[in-house]
Amino acid sequence: YYNEENIYSQGYDMKQLRSKVGLVFQYPEHQLFEVDVLTDVCFGPKNQGLSREEAEARAKKALEQVGLDPSYYKQSPFELSGGQKRRVAIAGVLAMEPEVLILDEPTAGQDFHHYTEIMEFLRKLNEEGVTVVMITHDMHLMLEYTPRALVFADGRLIADDSAAAVLCNQELVERAALKETSLFTLANRAGITPPEAFVECFIKEDREVRSHGR
């Protein structure tokens, strides 16, 4: 369902849906295929019916958003680093100006520097009004960046809560085969209640410290 409409109902405009919901694969090289970066990012807007000039304007804006300057435009996307490929893939989706961005394991294979760059960019994008949905097994990423966590087990939604509340719920952790956060373990051993408040406070303070380079 999208906006309370069944997308598989007869007559539903799937093409229109694809212009509103963008998907970035876990392995971005799987959705890169053109001869150079700019042409690749232009593909989506052109497919929406935009002129070459309009598509290029959208593509350049999207590439600027993900931090790739004009020196990358004529490079082959297959010669870029893993982090740069992911940025190009995200730019290709952003150029279509979606309302919702879905990312499968957005930080997979990234070192801490690129992990932080990607996630800070997505956080900023969300603040600008784009709904960002991430599928991840990275519990720290969930704690640090998601205000809302949906937990699935056996194909069913079993929880919809804050990330800290989810990882401080032992029954949920066991049922969904999640990993208990060490912060929850520490809170329990120290007798801190409620433990989720401690976890949220720690994550907030940790981000604040790192953002100032200390």
Side-chain angles (χ1 to χ4, degrees):
Y1 285 81
Y2 183 75
N3 285 341
E4 300 183 4
E5 288 187 71
N6 186 338
I7 67 172
Y8 294 114
S9 61
Q10 187 173 2
Y12 189 88
D13 190 344
M14 293 294 284
K15 185 175 181 180
Q16 182 68 14
L17 176 69
R18 293 187 188 101
S19 71
K20 293 181 178 179
V21 181
L23 175 65
V24 179
F25 300 159
Q26 180 173 348
Y27 301 103
E29 57 270 25
H30 292 177
Q31 64 191 99
L32 303 176
F33 57 90
E34 287 286 8
V35 293
D36 60 58
V37 167
L38 184 61
T39 305
D40 204 294
V41 179
C42 282
F43 179 81
K46 282 184 178 178
N47 209 35
Q48 288 178 307
L50 273 65
S51 68
R52 178 181 174 181
E53 292 74 18
E54 290 172 321
E56 283 198 1
R58 287 255 201 110
K60 289 176 180 178
K61 178 184 176 182
L63 286 165
E64 181 181 353
Q65 280 182 291
V66 300
L68 295 176
D69 61 47
S71 67
Y72 289 93
Y73 290 179
K74 293 304 177 183
Q75 289 191 41
S76 166
F78 303 105
E79 294 175 355
L80 302 177
S81 69
Q84 290 167 340
K85 285 179 181 177
R86 185 161 278 112
R87 291 186 188 198
V88 173
I90 293 173
V93 174
L94 290 181
M96 299 174 71
E97 298 186 348
E99 298 173 352
V100 178
L101 183 61
I102 302 175
L103 303 104
D104 185 11
E105 300 288 0
T107 59
Q110 301 296 302
D111 59 25
F112 184 72
H113 174 72
H114 288 111
Y115 163 103
T116 303
E117 275 192 344
I118 289 170
M119 292 311 303
E120 285 300 318
F121 164 70
L122 292 174
R123 185 173 63 82
K124 182 182 177 185
L125 196 64
N126 180 241
E127 289 174 351
E128 292 172 355
V130 177
T131 298
V132 178
V133 179
M134 297 182 292
I135 297 91
T136 184
H137 290 89
D138 186 334
M139 297 299 97
H140 187 80
L141 179 152
M142 184 177 79
L143 278 172
E144 188 172 5
Y145 286 99
T146 58
R148 180 184 180 193
L150 306 178
V151 184
F152 292 85
D154 300 320
R156 294 181 179 277
L157 177 67
I158 63 171
D160 180 351
D161 212 328
S162 71
V166 165
L167 293 185
C168 290
N169 185 321
Q170 287 181 309
E171 181 185 348
L172 269 181
V173 168
E174 291 174 9
R175 188 176 170 192
L178 302 176
K179 185 176 181 181
E180 180 181 297
T181 172
S182 57
L183 295 173
F184 175 59
T185 305
L186 175 61
N188 276 339
R189 291 183 179 178
I192 301 171
T193 56
E196 56 264 33
F198 168 73
V199 172
E200 289 176 345
C201 183
F202 184 97
I203 291 295
K204 181 180 179 181
E205 186 66 21
D206 180 56
R207 282 192 61 197
E208 182 69 21
V209 169
R210 284 192 284 110
S211 69
H212 289 87
R214 298 196 299 268

